[in-house]
Amino acid sequence: MTHALSHPCTEKERLRLRWNLVLAERERLLRLATSRLGRTTDAEDCVQEAMIRAVTFGALDESRVAALLTTITLRLCVDHQRGTQRDRRLAHRVQVLRTPGPDTGSEVEHRVCERAAGAWLLTQMTGLGERERDVLLSRARGLSTAETANALEITYKSAESAFTRARSRMRVLYHEEMAR
């Protein structure tokens, strides 16, 4: 017992004092976070996190606890808003990817049309030069431009130019056919 008296501020007592300091600011922090976030539940989450961070902060200056809590709460609110915006953007992208466009029809129909267009384009490759055809077929097999250049024993720039020309010609043919 004398040991406890010689150390009046044990770890447990220090944490209790810190929590008392932090809890005194709770209502003010809730108003602040709610004004930033709009939703009480989100505000409560930010305030709870801020209070835990302040209490467990090793170098806590107890005379400046209000300022520290304000800073932590505001930063958590900003992080929460950024996360919410990011989630909304991602949800929108997922929705756009999942919803077929008005002119694409069902996924099966889309795949059938893609395959038919690919087969038709393959028949049109006879109109390309030999190098353009070889480069385009290599790239269609999944080879990179550098790998294609090595396989065909041409320079990288030649392979890149042949691919660009071939792709451009195939696009023109495709668009002309679709315009009919």
Side-chain angles (χ1 to χ4, degrees), residues 21-101:
L21 283 172
V22 167
L23 286 172
E25 300 293 326
R26 185 177 184 281
E27 292 304 316
R28 180 183 65 81
L29 295 172
L30 273 174
R31 285 191 305 275
L32 177 70
T34 302
S35 71
R36 297 293 194 275
L37 300 175
R39 294 183 49 192
T40 307
T41 55
D42 295 337
E44 286 175 355
D45 289 345
C46 287
V47 169
Q48 287 294 327
E49 178 68 23
M51 291 187 328
I52 290 170
R53 288 183 185 188
V55 167
T56 59
F57 184 57
L60 179 67
D61 180 358
E62 294 176 1
S63 66
R64 298 185 41 104
V65 74
L68 177 66
L69 283 167
T70 300
T71 301
I72 294 172
T73 301
L74 289 174
R75 289 181 179 172
L76 288 170
C77 288
V78 168
D79 289 346
H80 180 79
Q81 288 171 327
R82 285 180 182 155
T84 300
Q85 289 173 352
R86 182 189 64 241
D87 292 346
R88 283 185 188 146
R89 284 191 307 270
L90 289 174
H92 176 71
R93 287 181 186 162
V94 167
Q95 184 63 28
V96 166
L97 291 175
R98 285 186 181 166
T99 306

Coordinates of all heavy atoms in Angstrom, one line a residue, residues 21-101:
L21 N -10.7 14.4 -18.9 CA -10.4 15.6 -19.7 C -11.0 15.5 -21.1 O -11.6 16.4 -21.6 CB -8.9 15.7 -19.9 CG -8.1 16.3 -18.7 CD1 -6.6 16.1 -19.0 CD2 -8.4 17.7 -18.5
V22 N -10.9 14.3 -21.7 CA -11.4 14.1 -23.1 C -12.9 14.1 -23.1 O -13.5 14.8 -24.0 CB -10.8 12.8 -23.7 CG1 -11.5 12.4 -24.9 CG2 -9.3 13.0 -23.9
L23 N -13.5 13.4 -22.2 CA -15.0 13.4 -22.1 C -15.7 14.7 -21.9 O -16.8 14.9 -22.4 CB -15.4 12.4 -21.1 CG -15.2 10.9 -21.4 CD1 -15.5 10.0 -20.3 CD2 -16.1 10.5 -22.6
A24 N -15.0 15.6 -21.3 CA -15.5 17.0 -21.1 C -15.7 17.7 -22.4 O -16.5 18.6 -22.5 CB -14.6 17.8 -20.2
E25 N -15.0 17.3 -23.4 CA -15.0 17.9 -24.8 C -16.0 17.2 -25.7 O -16.2 17.7 -26.8 CB -13.6 18.0 -25.4 CG -12.6 18.7 -24.6 CD -12.9 20.2 -24.5 OE1 -13.4 20.8 -25.5 OE2 -12.6 20.8 -23.5
R26 N -16.6 16.1 -25.3 CA -17.3 15.3 -26.2 C -18.5 16.0 -26.9 O -18.6 15.9 -28.1 CB -17.9 14.0 -25.4 CG -18.6 13.0 -26.3 CD -19.0 11.8 -25.5 NE -19.6 10.8 -26.4 CZ -20.8 10.9 -26.8 NH1 -21.6 11.9 -26.5 NH2 -21.3 9.9 -27.6
E27 N -19.3 16.7 -26.2 CA -20.5 17.3 -26.8 C -20.1 18.4 -27.8 O -20.7 18.5 -28.9 CB -21.4 18.0 -25.7 CG -22.1 16.9 -24.8 CD -22.9 15.9 -25.6 OE1 -23.6 16.4 -26.5 OE2 -22.8 14.7 -25.3
R28 N -19.1 19.2 -27.5 CA -18.6 20.2 -28.4 C -18.1 19.5 -29.7 O -18.3 19.9 -30.8 CB -17.4 21.0 -27.8 CG -16.9 22.1 -28.7 CD -15.7 22.8 -28.0 NE -14.6 22.0 -27.8 CZ -13.7 21.7 -28.7 NH1 -13.8 22.1 -29.9 NH2 -12.6 20.9 -28.4
L29 N -17.3 18.4 -29.5 CA -16.8 17.7 -30.7 C -17.9 17.1 -31.5 O -17.8 17.1 -32.8 CB -15.8 16.6 -30.2 CG -14.5 17.1 -29.6 CD1 -13.7 15.9 -29.0 CD2 -13.7 17.9 -30.5
L30 N -18.9 16.6 -30.9 CA -20.1 16.0 -31.6 C -20.8 17.1 -32.5 O -21.1 16.8 -33.6 CB -21.1 15.4 -30.7 CG -20.8 14.0 -30.3 CD1 -21.8 13.5 -29.2 CD2 -20.9 13.1 -31.5
R31 N -21.0 18.3 -31.9 CA -21.6 19.4 -32.7 C -20.7 19.7 -33.9 O -21.2 19.9 -35.0 CB -21.8 20.6 -31.8 CG -22.9 20.5 -30.8 CD -23.3 21.8 -30.2 NE -22.2 22.4 -29.5 CZ -21.8 22.1 -28.2 NH1 -22.5 21.3 -27.5 NH2 -20.8 22.8 -27.7
L32 N -19.4 19.8 -33.6 CA -18.4 20.1 -34.7 C -18.5 19.1 -35.8 O -18.6 19.4 -37.0 CB -17.0 20.2 -34.1 CG -15.9 20.5 -35.1 CD1 -16.0 21.9 -35.6 CD2 -14.6 20.3 -34.4
A33 N -18.4 17.8 -35.4 CA -18.3 16.7 -36.4 C -19.7 16.6 -37.1 O -19.7 16.4 -38.4 CB -18.0 15.4 -35.7
T34 N -20.8 16.8 -36.4 CA -22.1 16.7 -37.1 C -22.3 17.8 -38.1 O -22.9 17.6 -39.2 CB -23.2 16.8 -36.0 OG1 -23.0 15.7 -35.1 CG2 -24.6 16.6 -36.7
S35 N -21.8 19.0 -37.8 CA -21.9 20.1 -38.7 C -21.1 19.9 -40.0 O -21.4 20.3 -41.0 CB -21.4 21.5 -38.1 OG -20.0 21.5 -37.9
R36 N -20.0 19.1 -39.9 CA -19.2 18.8 -41.0 C -19.7 17.6 -41.8 O -19.6 17.6 -43.0 CB -17.7 18.4 -40.6 CG -17.0 19.6 -39.9 CD -16.7 20.7 -40.9 NE -15.7 21.6 -40.4 CZ -16.0 22.7 -39.6 NH1 -17.2 22.9 -39.2 NH2 -15.0 23.5 -39.3
L37 N -20.2 16.6 -41.1 CA -20.6 15.3 -41.8 C -22.1 15.2 -42.0 O -22.5 14.4 -42.9 CB -20.1 14.1 -40.9 CG -18.6 14.1 -40.7 CD1 -18.3 12.9 -39.8 CD2 -17.9 13.9 -42.1
G38 N -22.9 15.9 -41.2 CA -24.4 15.8 -41.4 C -25.0 14.6 -40.7 O -26.1 14.8 -40.2
R39 N -24.4 13.5 -40.6 CA -25.0 12.3 -40.0 C -24.4 12.1 -38.6 O -23.2 12.1 -38.4 CB -24.7 11.1 -40.8 CG -25.4 11.1 -42.2 CD -25.2 9.9 -43.0 NE -25.5 8.7 -42.2 CZ -25.2 7.5 -42.6 NH1 -24.6 7.3 -43.7 NH2 -25.4 6.5 -41.8
T40 N -25.3 12.0 -37.6 CA -24.9 11.8 -36.2 C -24.0 10.6 -36.0 O -23.1 10.6 -35.3 CB -26.1 11.8 -35.3 OG1 -26.9 12.9 -35.6 CG2 -25.8 11.8 -33.9
T41 N -24.4 9.5 -36.7 CA -23.7 8.2 -36.5 C -22.2 8.4 -37.0 O -21.3 7.9 -36.3 CB -24.3 7.1 -37.2 OG1 -24.5 7.4 -38.6 CG2 -25.7 6.7 -36.6
D42 N -22.0 9.0 -38.1 CA -20.7 9.2 -38.6 C -19.9 10.2 -37.7 O -18.7 10.0 -37.5 CB -20.7 9.8 -40.1 CG -21.3 8.9 -41.1 OD1 -21.3 7.6 -40.8 OD2 -21.8 9.3 -42.1
A43 N -20.6 11.2 -37.2 CA -19.9 12.1 -36.3 C -19.5 11.4 -35.0 O -18.4 11.7 -34.5 CB -20.9 13.3 -36.0
E44 N -20.4 10.6 -34.5 CA -20.0 9.9 -33.3 C -18.8 9.0 -33.5 O -17.9 8.9 -32.6 CB -21.2 9.0 -32.8 CG -22.3 9.9 -32.2 CD -23.6 9.0 -31.8 OE1 -23.6 7.8 -32.1 OE2 -24.5 9.6 -31.3
D45 N -18.7 8.3 -34.7 CA -17.6 7.5 -34.9 C -16.3 8.3 -35.0 O -15.3 7.9 -34.4 CB -17.8 6.8 -36.3 CG -18.8 5.7 -36.3 OD1 -19.2 5.3 -35.2 OD2 -19.2 5.3 -37.4
C46 N -16.3 9.5 -35.6 CA -15.2 10.3 -35.7 C -14.8 10.8 -34.3 O -13.6 10.9 -33.9 CB -15.4 11.5 -36.6 SG -15.4 11.1 -38.3
V47 N -15.7 11.2 -33.5 CA -15.5 11.7 -32.1 C -14.9 10.6 -31.2 O -13.9 10.9 -30.5 CB -16.7 12.4 -31.5 CG1 -16.5 12.7 -30.0 CG2 -17.1 13.6 -32.2
Q48 N -15.4 9.4 -31.3 CA -14.9 8.3 -30.5 C -13.5 8.0 -30.9 O -12.6 7.8 -30.0 CB -15.8 7.1 -30.7 CG -17.1 7.1 -30.1 CD -17.0 7.1 -28.5 OE1 -16.1 6.5 -28.0 NE2 -17.9 7.8 -27.9
E49 N -13.2 8.0 -32.2 CA -11.8 7.7 -32.7 C -10.9 8.8 -32.2 O -9.8 8.6 -31.8 CB -11.8 7.6 -34.2 CG -10.4 7.4 -34.8 CD -9.8 6.0 -34.5 OE1 -10.6 5.1 -34.2 OE2 -8.6 5.9 -34.5
A50 N -11.3 10.1 -32.3 CA -10.5 11.2 -31.8 C -10.2 11.1 -30.3 O -9.1 11.3 -29.9 CB -11.2 12.5 -32.1
M51 N -11.2 10.7 -29.5 CA -11.0 10.6 -28.1 C -10.0 9.5 -27.8 O -9.1 9.7 -26.9 CB -12.3 10.4 -27.4 CG -13.2 11.7 -27.5 SD -14.8 11.6 -26.5 CE -15.3 10.0 -26.5
I52 N -10.1 8.4 -28.4 CA -9.2 7.3 -28.2 C -7.8 7.7 -28.6 O -6.9 7.4 -27.8 CB -9.7 6.0 -29.0 CG1 -11.0 5.5 -28.4 CG2 -8.6 5.0 -29.0 CD1 -11.7 4.4 -29.2
R53 N -7.7 8.3 -29.7 CA -6.3 8.8 -30.1 C -5.7 9.7 -29.1 O -4.5 9.7 -28.8 CB -6.4 9.4 -31.5 CG -6.6 8.4 -32.6 CD -6.6 9.0 -34.0 NE -6.9 8.1 -35.0 CZ -6.8 8.4 -36.3 NH1 -6.3 9.6 -36.7 NH2 -7.1 7.5 -37.2
A54 N -6.5 10.7 -28.6 CA -6.0 11.6 -27.7 C -5.6 11.0 -26.3 O -4.5 11.3 -25.8 CB -7.0 12.7 -27.4
V55 N -6.4 10.1 -25.8 CA -6.1 9.4 -24.6 C -4.9 8.6 -24.7 O -4.1 8.5 -23.8 CB -7.4 8.6 -24.1 CG1 -7.0 7.7 -23.0 CG2 -8.5 9.5 -23.7
T56 N -4.7 7.9 -25.8 CA -3.5 7.0 -25.9 C -2.3 7.7 -26.5 O -1.3 7.1 -26.6 CB -3.9 5.8 -26.9 OG1 -4.3 6.4 -28.1 CG2 -5.0 5.0 -26.3
F57 N -2.4 9.0 -26.8 CA -1.3 9.8 -27.3 C -0.2 10.0 -26.2 O -0.5 10.5 -25.1 CB -1.7 11.1 -27.8 CG -0.6 12.0 -28.5 CD1 0.1 11.5 -29.5 CD2 -0.4 13.2 -28.0 CE1 1.1 12.2 -30.1 CE2 0.6 14.0 -28.6 CZ 1.3 13.5 -29.6
G58 N 1.0 9.4 -26.4 CA 2.0 9.4 -25.3 C 2.4 10.8 -24.9 O 2.6 11.0 -23.7
A59 N 2.5 11.8 -25.8 CA 3.0 13.1 -25.4 C 1.9 14.1 -25.3 O 2.0 15.3 -25.6 CB 4.0 13.6 -26.5
L60 N 0.8 13.7 -24.7 CA -0.4 14.5 -24.5 C -0.1 15.7 -23.6 O 0.3 15.5 -22.5 CB -1.6 13.7 -24.0 CG -2.9 14.5 -23.8 CD1 -3.4 15.0 -25.1 CD2 -3.9 13.6 -23.1
D61 N -0.3 16.9 -24.1 CA -0.2 18.1 -23.3 C -1.6 18.4 -22.8 O -2.5 18.8 -23.5 CB 0.3 19.3 -24.1 CG 0.5 20.5 -23.3 OD1 0.1 20.5 -22.1 OD2 0.9 21.5 -23.8
E62 N -1.9 18.1 -21.5 CA -3.2 18.1 -20.9 C -3.8 19.5 -21.0 O -5.0 19.7 -20.9 CB -3.2 17.5 -19.5 CG -3.0 16.0 -19.6 CD -2.9 15.4 -18.2 OE1 -3.1 16.1 -17.2 OE2 -2.7 14.2 -18.2
S63 N -2.9 20.5 -21.0 CA -3.4 21.9 -21.1 C -3.9 22.3 -22.5 O -4.6 23.3 -22.7 CB -2.3 22.9 -20.7 OG -1.3 22.9 -21.6
R64 N -3.6 21.5 -23.5 CA -4.0 21.7 -24.9 C -4.9 20.6 -25.4 O -5.0 20.4 -26.6 CB -2.8 21.9 -25.7 CG -1.9 23.1 -25.3 CD -0.8 23.4 -26.3 NE -1.2 23.2 -27.6 CZ -1.4 24.2 -28.5 NH1 -1.3 25.4 -28.1 NH2 -1.8 23.9 -29.8
V65 N -5.5 19.9 -24.6 CA -6.3 18.7 -25.0 C -7.5 19.1 -25.9 O -7.8 18.4 -26.9 CB -6.8 17.9 -23.8 CG1 -7.9 18.5 -23.1 CG2 -7.2 16.5 -24.3
A66 N -8.1 20.3 -25.7 CA -9.2 20.7 -26.5 C -8.8 21.0 -27.9 O -9.4 20.6 -28.9 CB -9.9 22.0 -25.9
A67 N -7.6 21.7 -28.1 CA -7.1 22.0 -29.4 C -6.7 20.7 -30.2 O -7.0 20.5 -31.4 CB -5.9 22.9 -29.3
L68 N -6.1 19.8 -29.5 CA -5.7 18.5 -30.1 C -6.9 17.7 -30.5 O -7.0 17.2 -31.6 CB -4.9 17.7 -29.1 CG -4.5 16.3 -29.6 CD1 -3.5 16.4 -30.7 CD2 -3.9 15.5 -28.4
L69 N -8.0 17.7 -29.7 CA -9.2 17.0 -30.0 C -9.9 17.6 -31.2 O -10.4 16.9 -32.1 CB -10.1 16.9 -28.9 CG -9.8 15.9 -27.8 CD1 -10.6 16.1 -26.5 CD2 -10.0 14.5 -28.3
T70 N -9.9 18.9 -31.3 CA -10.5 19.6 -32.4 C -9.7 19.3 -33.7 O -10.4 18.9 -34.7 CB -10.4 21.1 -32.2 OG1 -11.2 21.4 -31.0 CG2 -11.1 21.9 -33.4
T71 N -8.4 19.3 -33.7 CA -7.6 19.0 -34.9 C -7.8 17.5 -35.3 O -8.1 17.3 -36.5 CB -6.1 19.2 -34.6 OG1 -6.0 20.6 -34.2 CG2 -5.3 18.9 -35.8
I72 N -7.8 16.6 -34.4 CA -8.0 15.2 -34.7 C -9.4 15.0 -35.3 O -9.5 14.3 -36.3 CB -7.8 14.3 -33.5 CG1 -6.3 14.4 -33.0 CG2 -8.1 12.9 -33.8 CD1 -6.0 13.7 -31.7
T73 N -10.4 15.6 -34.7 CA -11.8 15.4 -35.1 C -12.0 15.9 -36.5 O -12.6 15.3 -37.4 CB -12.8 16.0 -34.2 OG1 -12.6 15.5 -32.9 CG2 -14.2 15.8 -34.6
L74 N -11.4 17.1 -36.8 CA -11.6 17.7 -38.1 C -10.9 16.9 -39.2 O -11.4 16.7 -40.3 CB -11.1 19.2 -38.1 CG -11.9 20.2 -37.4 CD1 -11.3 21.5 -37.3 CD2 -13.3 20.3 -38.0
R75 N -9.7 16.4 -38.9 CA -9.0 15.6 -39.8 C -9.7 14.2 -40.1 O -9.8 13.8 -41.2 CB -7.6 15.3 -39.3 CG -6.7 16.6 -39.4 CD -5.3 16.3 -39.0 NE -4.6 17.6 -39.1 CZ -3.3 17.7 -38.7 NH1 -2.7 16.7 -38.1 NH2 -2.7 18.9 -38.9
L76 N -10.3 13.7 -39.0 CA -11.1 12.4 -39.2 C -12.3 12.7 -40.0 O -12.7 11.9 -40.9 CB -11.4 11.8 -37.9 CG -10.3 11.2 -37.1 CD1 -10.7 10.8 -35.7 CD2 -9.8 9.9 -37.8
C77 N -12.9 13.9 -39.9 CA -14.1 14.2 -40.7 C -13.7 14.3 -42.1 O -14.4 13.8 -43.0 CB -14.7 15.5 -40.2 SG -15.6 15.4 -38.6
V78 N -12.6 15.0 -42.4 CA -12.1 15.1 -43.8 C -11.8 13.7 -44.4 O -12.2 13.4 -45.5 CB -10.9 16.0 -43.9 CG1 -10.2 16.0 -45.2 CG2 -11.2 17.5 -43.5
D79 N -11.1 12.9 -43.6 CA -10.9 11.5 -44.1 C -12.1 10.8 -44.4 O -12.2 10.1 -45.4 CB -10.0 10.7 -43.1 CG -8.6 11.2 -43.0 OD1 -8.2 12.0 -43.8 OD2 -7.9 10.9 -42.0
H80 N -13.1 10.9 -43.5 CA -14.4 10.3 -43.7 C -15.1 10.8 -45.0 O -15.6 10.0 -45.8 CB -15.3 10.5 -42.5 CG -16.6 9.8 -42.6 ND1 -16.8 8.5 -42.4 CD2 -17.9 10.3 -43.0 CE1 -18.1 8.1 -42.6 NE2 -18.7 9.2 -43.0
Q81 N -15.1 12.1 -45.2 CA -15.7 12.6 -46.4 C -15.0 12.2 -47.7 O -15.7 11.8 -48.6 CB -15.7 14.2 -46.3 CG -16.7 14.7 -45.3 CD -16.5 16.2 -45.1 OE1 -15.4 16.7 -45.2 NE2 -17.6 16.9 -44.8
R82 N -13.7 12.1 -47.6 CA -12.9 11.6 -48.8 C -13.3 10.2 -49.1 O -13.5 9.8 -50.2 CB -11.4 11.8 -48.6 CG -11.0 13.2 -48.7 CD -9.5 13.3 -48.4 NE -9.0 14.6 -48.5 CZ -7.9 15.1 -47.9 NH1 -7.2 14.3 -47.2 NH2 -7.6 16.4 -48.0
G83 N -13.3 9.4 -48.0 CA -13.7 8.0 -48.2 C -15.1 7.8 -48.8 O -15.3 7.0 -49.6
T84 N -16.0 8.6 -48.3 CA -17.4 8.5 -48.8 C -17.5 8.9 -50.2 O -18.1 8.3 -51.0 CB -18.3 9.5 -47.9 OG1 -18.2 9.0 -46.6 CG2 -19.7 9.4 -48.4
Q85 N -16.8 10.0 -50.6 CA -16.7 10.4 -52.0 C -16.1 9.3 -52.9 O -16.6 9.0 -54.0 CB -16.0 11.7 -52.2 CG -16.8 12.9 -51.6 CD -15.9 14.2 -51.6 OE1 -14.7 14.2 -51.9 NE2 -16.6 15.3 -51.3
R86 N -15.0 8.7 -52.4 CA -14.4 7.7 -53.2 C -15.3 6.5 -53.3 O -15.4 5.9 -54.4 CB -13.1 7.2 -52.5 CG -12.3 6.2 -53.2 CD -11.2 5.6 -52.4 NE -11.7 4.9 -51.2 CZ -11.4 5.3 -49.9 NH1 -10.6 6.2 -49.7 NH2 -12.0 4.6 -48.9
D87 N -16.0 6.1 -52.3 CA -16.9 5.0 -52.4 C -18.1 5.3 -53.3 O -18.5 4.4 -54.1 CB -17.5 4.7 -51.0 CG -16.5 4.1 -50.0 OD1 -15.4 3.7 -50.5 OD2 -16.7 4.0 -48.8
R88 N -18.5 6.5 -53.4 CA -19.6 6.9 -54.3 C -19.1 6.8 -55.7 O -19.8 6.3 -56.6 CB -20.1 8.3 -54.0 CG -21.0 8.4 -52.8 CD -21.6 9.8 -52.6 NE -22.3 9.9 -51.4 CZ -22.3 11.0 -50.6 NH1 -21.7 12.1 -51.0 NH2 -23.0 11.0 -49.5
R89 N -17.9 7.3 -56.0 CA -17.4 7.2 -57.3 C -17.2 5.8 -57.8 O -17.6 5.4 -58.9 CB -16.0 8.0 -57.4 CG -16.1 9.5 -57.5 CD -14.8 10.1 -57.8 NE -13.7 9.7 -57.0 CZ -13.3 10.2 -55.9 NH1 -13.9 11.3 -55.4 NH2 -12.2 9.8 -55.2
L90 N -16.7 4.9 -56.9 CA -16.5 3.5 -57.2 C -17.9 2.9 -57.4 O -18.0 2.0 -58.4 CB -15.7 2.8 -56.1 CG -14.3 3.2 -56.1 CD1 -13.6 2.5 -54.8 CD2 -13.5 2.8 -57.3
A91 N -18.8 3.2 -56.6 CA -20.2 2.6 -56.8 C -20.8 3.0 -58.1 O -21.4 2.2 -58.8 CB -21.1 3.0 -55.6
H92 N -20.6 4.2 -58.5 CA -21.1 4.7 -59.8 C -20.4 3.9 -60.9 O -21.1 3.5 -61.9 CB -20.9 6.2 -59.9 CG -21.3 6.7 -61.3 ND1 -22.6 6.8 -61.6 CD2 -20.5 7.2 -62.3 CE1 -22.7 7.3 -62.9 NE2 -21.4 7.5 -63.3
R93 N -19.1 3.8 -60.8 CA -18.4 3.0 -61.9 C -18.9 1.6 -62.0 O -19.1 1.1 -63.1 CB -16.9 3.1 -61.6 CG -16.2 4.4 -61.9 CD -14.8 4.3 -61.6 NE -14.2 5.6 -61.7 CZ -13.0 6.0 -61.2 NH1 -12.3 5.1 -60.6 NH2 -12.5 7.2 -61.4
V94 N -19.1 1.0 -60.8 CA -19.5 -0.4 -60.8 C -20.9 -0.5 -61.4 O -21.2 -1.4 -62.2 CB -19.5 -1.0 -59.4 CG1 -20.3 -2.3 -59.3 CG2 -18.1 -1.2 -58.9
Q95 N -21.8 0.5 -61.1 CA -23.1 0.5 -61.6 C -23.1 0.7 -63.1 O -23.8 0.0 -63.9 CB -24.0 1.6 -61.0 CG -25.4 1.6 -61.4 CD -26.2 0.4 -61.0 OE1 -25.8 -0.3 -60.0 NE2 -27.2 0.1 -61.8
V96 N -22.2 1.6 -63.6 CA -22.1 1.8 -65.0 C -21.6 0.5 -65.7 O -22.1 0.2 -66.8 CB -21.2 3.0 -65.3 CG1 -20.8 3.0 -66.8 CG2 -21.8 4.3 -64.9
L97 N -20.7 -0.2 -65.1 CA -20.2 -1.4 -65.8 C -21.2 -2.5 -65.8 O -21.2 -3.3 -66.7 CB -18.9 -1.8 -65.0 CG -17.7 -0.9 -65.2 CD1 -16.5 -1.4 -64.4 CD2 -17.2 -0.9 -66.7
R98 N -22.0 -2.6 -64.7 CA -23.0 -3.7 -64.6 C -24.2 -3.4 -65.5 O -24.8 -4.4 -65.9 CB -23.4 -3.8 -63.2 CG -22.4 -4.5 -62.3 CD -23.0 -4.7 -60.9 NE -22.0 -5.3 -60.1 CZ -22.1 -5.4 -58.8 NH1 -23.1 -5.0 -58.2 NH2 -21.1 -6.0 -58.1
T99 N -24.6 -2.2 -65.7 CA -25.8 -1.9 -66.5 C -25.4 -1.8 -67.9 O -24.6 -1.0 -68.4 CB -26.3 -0.5 -66.0 OG1 -26.5 -0.5 -64.6 CG2 -27.6 -0.2 -66.7
P100 N -26.1 -2.7 -68.7 CA -25.8 -2.6 -70.2 C -26.4 -1.3 -70.7 O -27.4 -0.8 -70.3 CB -26.6 -3.8 -70.8 CG -27.5 -4.2 -69.7 CD -27.0 -3.7 -68.4
G101 N -25.6 -0.8 -71.7 CA -26.1 0.5 -72.3 C -27.3 0.2 -73.1 O -27.7 -0.9 -73.4

